[in-house]
Amino acid sequence: MTNRIYNFSAGPAVMPMPVLEQVQRDLIELPGVGMSVMEISHRSGPFEAIIGAAEADIRTLAGVPDNYKILFLQGGATLQFSMVPMNLLTEGRTADYIMTGTWADKALKEAKRVGTTHETGSTADTNFNRIPRDDELAFTPGAAYVHMTSNNTIEGTEWHRVPQVPDDVPLVSDASSDIFSGPIDISKYGLIYAGAQKNLGPSGVTLVIIREDLLARSSKSLHTMLNYTIHAENGSLYNTPPAFGVYTLGLVIKWLLANGGLAGIQAVNQRKAGKLYAELDRTGFWTPTADKASRSLMNVTFRLATEDLEKAFIKEATAANFDGLKGHRAVGGMRASIYNAFPEHGIDELVAFMREFEAKRG
Amino acid sequence: MTNRIYNFSAGPAVMPMPVLEQVQRDLIELPGVGMSVMEISHRSGPFEAIIGAAEADIRTLAGVPDNYKILFLQGGATLQFSMVPMNLLTEGRTADYIMTGTWADKALKEAKRVGTTHETGSTADTNFNRIPRDDELAFTPGAAYVHMTSNNTIEGTEWHRVPQVPDDVPLVSDASSDIFSGPIDISKYGLIYAGAQKNLGPSGVTLVIIREDLLARSSKSLHTMLNYTIHAENGSLYNTPPAFGVYTLGLVIKWLLANGGLAGIQAVNQRKAGKLYAELDRTGFWTPTADKASRSLMNVTFRLATEDLEKAFIKEATAANFDGLKGHRAVGGMRASIYNAFPEHGIDELVAFMREFEAKRG
């Protein structure tokens, strides 16, 4: 008998039940170790096996090429907003930022503290309701890198292609809210980063996948904890890592591998989002906010005719155990965040609830 | 029936069993919430209650004055080595570092990246086996701050007094390895920081207690995640915090409050360390490495006559389920880390085991 509710939170977000069950079962004594995963030394064999397996499983899951390092860091995507330019925006060069929403703008603001930046492809004029076309993107020749936000959590848009950047310019992607939600060609990126708390596990661990040649850019004058090269050389163990987070993230990766990998989860995500968008498109009672071609499979944003109606919907939904449907305060409306671990039957039940709500008020 | 072993690891380290049991019991459904603590939004009422209680309980436990902010950050003490000078070492001033060991030196190295530093009170000439006397300390007039390391994890020494610093100079303490192991007069410090993984909970959360007037020093040009003022203004929720870590740390604080507070745990710690040092002093078979007056209650470091004997001891102890007794690779020998949560009967059993070992080899 469970009291669990449907959690549409944008992050931290719902986690796979088999992962939660394993974490719970092994919490006090990791099998064969006799201590909690929170108690073991990060220099011990058991922890080396945990972090090693997490890395190896990520390589298998996403086909990460050998010339990429996988790092487990702290500080979330927000610290990456700073670390990316600190490490990669070298003297005399420009960093290009594709402006697709609130988080892209926050990333740009930190880069401006480091050096010269250039903003391109902004869709601000339509409230970031779409991803720019390639012909709207103008990159700086010889840019230090191009920064993109693969999924815009607040605006409900997602890139469904990899933008065309010049051959010699590394593409950096903030993939916090759609990482490993489907197949990804890592080789098209110079660096990918993601806070764990949406698709990878608990908050407090940040995944960074970086092409090795880019490590040469990290200046020796950088502070130790802000230097990708130091973390890479030490296998993410320069200092004590967020051990519980790495462990749990590793279990989430194993759960993905056991459930069809990235192609498998993509099919599920397309089906889940497809059902919800179909309902939003059905009668005109609801107004999905993202442009059709840019719709996110992870964050489904929508409005109702009036704010009063929206308030009523959120209130009734919460009472019916659909939690976290309120849109981000910056944009209002509703948002259903339906990451990898969100169960498909939760979508079916939400759609049924929405249909009832429409029948009463429509 | 448990397979748990005695864990003398220097950190991550043993945690209180009642805390582990509560974390396990409530892992899938936080009572009254219906979700895991890893799944709830950091903007939700339940999480606000968790972080609010952690802060309030720390204030109660340690008597934190109202003019101090309590922050829950990421990156461990190592990131604080950088954040302290970035925020507090303002233009034209000098930061004084009391040089008591490996970690003090690491802190100094990051400060040198920021500005002018001055090293004082070094006990390097005796391998950092003691804490300097007040008459060995020479502070810079008008220093930006004085930095100390309250317990030296590797060398097994601990400050048993607060050093006398000039009235107008804030004292900054890296208390990672002895925080809340006994009463502390917070008002004598400008800033105290501690990685959680020794005395406070799991790795991945860092406690910072900072006097409010010092926040005025944080430059607006600092990167967001490296700026104490931003974290203070946002109640540690500028971005997603390490929620599971904050939750578990909060349970550890409640465990301390329920067990006699800081005076209560100090009595236990004195008794535990007292028994172990008494055994080390008993016959001359063992050689405790720290000067008597500087001995740490948290990390008890000792040697045997030969490295072969040390290897044999560590091997036999490990086989007898006394784990993590090997000294830090920088200094060799043995180290028993016996933080707050280390059970007293584990000391009794170790002492008995040591006595047997001596009887066989002595």
Side-chain angles (χ1 to χ4, degrees):
Chain A
M1 184 71 173
T2 177
N3 299 308
R4 279 176 63 87
I5 61 179
Y6 288 119
N7 176 10
F8 292 91
S9 174
V14 61
M15 285 176 57
M17 184 54 79
V19 169
L20 291 177
E21 286 169 347
Q22 186 170 348
V23 171
Q24 183 178 48
R25 191 184 67 225
D26 297 341
L27 193 93
I28 293 181
E29 286 184 23
L30 211 54
V33 177
M35 294 182 260
S36 171
V37 68
M38 291 185 269
E39 299 177 307
I40 59 176
S41 169
H42 57 298
R43 309 279 177 213
S44 67
F47 189 74
E48 279 175 12
I50 286 168
I51 197 168
E55 179 184 333
D57 287 342
I58 288 169
R59 288 192 186 278
T60 303
L61 178 72
V64 179
D66 287 345
N67 64 324
Y68 285 74
K69 292 283 190 191
I70 293 175
L71 310 178
F72 302 101
L73 306 181
Q74 298 184 58
T78 306
L79 188 56
Q80 294 309 305
F81 295 167
S82 294
M83 284 181 68
V84 164
M86 283 174 171
N87 284 269
L88 302 187
L89 180 44
T90 48
E91 192 73 34
R93 297 174 85 172
T94 296
D96 287 350
Y97 278 72
I98 307 178
M99 191 46 55
T100 53
T102 309
W103 293 104
D105 189 53
K106 289 197 182 212
L108 172 62
K109 281 197 169 72
E110 301 299 331
K112 283 181 175 171
R113 301 181 190 280
V114 175
T116 309
T117 59
H118 167 67
E119 193 182 321
T120 187
S122 173
T123 52
D125 60 338
T126 55
N127 293 319
F128 301 116
N129 75 331
R130 65 184 184 87
I131 298 296
R133 301 180 307 273
D134 276 335
D135 67 24
E136 294 175 293
L137 300 171
F139 298 119
T140 307
Y145 59 85
V146 171
H147 183 280
M148 65 179 281
T149 311
S150 60
N151 183 78
N152 298 281
T153 322
I154 293 175
E155 295 82 5
T157 65
E158 186 174 12
W159 288 82
H160 297 298
R161 68 183 202 280
V162 180
Q164 291 285 338
V165 296
D167 277 350
D168 57 340
V169 176
L171 180 61
V172 172
S173 179
D174 174 3
S176 292
S177 51
D178 69 348
I179 191 158
F180 300 163
S181 63
I184 181 170
D185 183 351
I186 303 284
S187 72
K188 293 203 168 152
Y189 300 85
L191 189 155
I192 297 168
Y193 63 91
Q197 66 271 13
K198 298 168 194 292
N199 260 338
L200 299 176
S203 62
V205 52
T206 313
L207 179 67
V208 172
I209 303 175
I210 182 171
R211 214 175 60 210
E212 280 174 354
D213 63 288
L214 295 177
L215 294 172
R217 295 197 195 176
S218 300
S219 162
K220 284 195 193 333
S221 69
L222 279 171
H223 284 260
T224 301
M225 280 298 283
L226 304 174
N227 186 325
Y228 287 134
T229 299
I230 302 268
H231 290 296
E233 285 174 352
N234 290 278
S236 306
L237 296 174
Y238 175 82
N239 73 333
T240 313
F244 178 83
V246 172
Y247 161 75
T248 308
L249 182 152
L251 298 182
V252 171
I253 301 295
K254 281 192 196 300
W255 172 79
L256 283 168
L257 285 169
N259 285 277
L262 296 185
I265 200 71
Q266 185 180 48
V268 175
N269 286 328
Q270 284 173 340
R271 216 161 51 223
K272 288 185 328 196
K275 286 177 180 179
L276 193 43
Y277 283 119
E279 182 62 18
L280 292 172
D281 289 335
R282 201 172 52 87
T283 64
F285 179 72
W286 311 91
T287 307
T289 55
D291 192 76
K292 264 192 182 175
S294 301
R295 284 174 171 177
S296 167
L297 298 188
M298 301 284 104
N299 311 99
V300 178
T301 51
F302 54 103
R303 308 290 315 238
L304 278 164
T306 68
E307 288 191 12
D308 280 349
L309 203 52
E310 291 173 346
K311 269 186 202 156
F313 174 70
I314 291 161
K315 192 177 167 188
E316 291 178 30
T318 305
N321 275 355
F322 301 102
D323 197 73
L325 283 168
K326 197 173 171 189
H328 190 277
R329 59 193 183 280
V331 297
M334 280 78 67
R335 170 173 58 177
S337 295
I338 49 173
Y339 301 114
N340 286 348
F342 190 91
E344 189 166 353
H345 53 84
I347 303 284
D348 297 334
E349 293 194 27
L350 176 65
V351 166
F353 177 82
M354 288 167 68
R355 207 167 284 195
E356 274 176 45
F357 185 87
E358 180 178 347
K360 277 190 298 185
R361 314 283 182 117
Chain B
M1 183 71 172
T2 175
N3 299 306
R4 278 176 62 88
I5 62 179
Y6 288 119
N7 176 10
F8 292 91
S9 175
V14 62
M15 285 177 55
M17 185 52 80
V19 169
L20 290 177
E21 286 168 349
Q22 185 170 348
V23 171
Q24 183 178 48
R25 191 185 65 226
D26 297 341
L27 193 93
I28 293 181
E29 285 185 25
L30 211 54
V33 177
M35 295 183 259
S36 172
V37 68
M38 291 186 270
E39 299 178 306
I40 58 177
S41 170
H42 57 299
R43 309 280 177 212
S44 67
F47 188 73
E48 279 174 12
I50 286 168
I51 197 167
E55 180 184 332
D57 287 342
I58 288 170
R59 288 192 184 278
T60 303
L61 178 72
V64 180
D66 288 345
N67 64 325
Y68 285 74
K69 293 283 190 188
I70 293 175
L71 310 179
F72 302 101
L73 306 181
Q74 298 184 58
T78 306
L79 187 56
Q80 293 310 304
F81 295 167
S82 295
M83 284 180 67
V84 164
M86 282 175 172
N87 284 269
L88 302 188
L89 180 44
T90 48
E91 193 75 31
R93 297 175 87 171
T94 296
D96 287 349
Y97 278 72
I98 307 179
M99 190 47 53
T100 53
T102 311
W103 293 105
D105 189 53
K106 289 197 184 210
L108 173 63
K109 280 196 171 73
E110 302 300 330
K112 284 182 176 171
R113 301 181 190 280
V114 175
T116 309
T117 59
H118 167 66
E119 194 180 320
T120 186
S122 174
T123 52
D125 60 338
T126 55
N127 292 320
F128 301 116
N129 74 331
R130 65 182 185 89
I131 298 297
R133 300 180 306 273
D134 276 336
D135 66 22
E136 295 175 294
L137 300 172
F139 298 120
T140 307
Y145 58 86
V146 171
H147 182 279
M148 66 178 282
T149 311
S150 60
N151 182 78
N152 298 280
T153 322
I154 292 175
E155 295 83 4
T157 65
E158 186 174 10
W159 288 82
H160 297 298
R161 68 183 201 279
V162 179
Q164 291 285 340
V165 297
D167 276 352
D168 57 339
V169 175
L171 180 61
V172 173
S173 180
D174 174 1
S176 292
S177 51
D178 69 349
I179 189 157
F180 300 162
S181 62
I184 181 169
D185 183 352
I186 304 283
S187 73
K188 293 204 167 152
Y189 300 86
L191 189 154
I192 296 167
Y193 64 91
Q197 67 270 14
K198 299 170 194 292
N199 261 338
L200 299 177
S203 62
V205 53
T206 313
L207 179 67
V208 172
I209 303 175
I210 182 170
R211 213 176 61 212
E212 279 173 355
D213 62 288
L214 295 175
L215 294 171
R217 296 199 195 175
S218 301
S219 161
K220 284 196 191 331
S221 69
L222 279 171
H223 285 260
T224 301
M225 281 297 283
L226 305 173
N227 187 325
Y228 287 134
T229 300
I230 302 268
H231 291 296
E233 285 174 351
N234 289 277
S236 305
L237 296 174
Y238 175 82
N239 73 332
T240 314
F244 178 82
V246 171
Y247 161 74
T248 308
L249 182 152
L251 297 182
V252 171
I253 301 296
K254 281 191 194 301
W255 172 79
L256 284 168
L257 285 169
N259 285 276
L262 296 185
I265 199 71
Q266 184 179 48
V268 174
N269 286 327
Q270 285 172 339
R271 218 162 50 223
K272 288 184 331 195
K275 286 177 180 180
L276 193 44
Y277 282 118
E279 183 61 20
L280 292 172
D281 289 335
R282 203 172 52 87
T283 64
F285 179 71
W286 311 91
T287 307
T289 55
D291 191 74
K292 265 193 182 176
S294 302
R295 284 175 172 176
S296 167
L297 298 187
M298 301 283 104
N299 311 98
V300 178
T301 52
F302 53 104
R303 308 290 312 239
L304 277 163
T306 68
E307 288 193 11
D308 280 350
L309 203 52
E310 291 174 346
K311 269 187 202 154
F313 174 71
I314 290 162
K315 191 176 165 188
E316 290 177 29
T318 306
N321 275 356
F322 300 103
D323 196 74
L325 282 168
K326 197 173 172 189
H328 190 275
R329 60 194 182 281
V331 297
M334 279 78 65
R335 172 174 57 178
S337 296
I338 50 174
Y339 301 114
N340 285 349
F342 189 92
E344 188 166 353
H345 54 83
I347 304 284
D348 297 333
E349 294 196 25
L350 177 65
V351 165
F353 177 82
M354 288 167 69
R355 208 167 283 196
E356 274 177 44
F357 185 86
E358 180 177 347
K360 276 189 299 184
R361 314 283 182 116

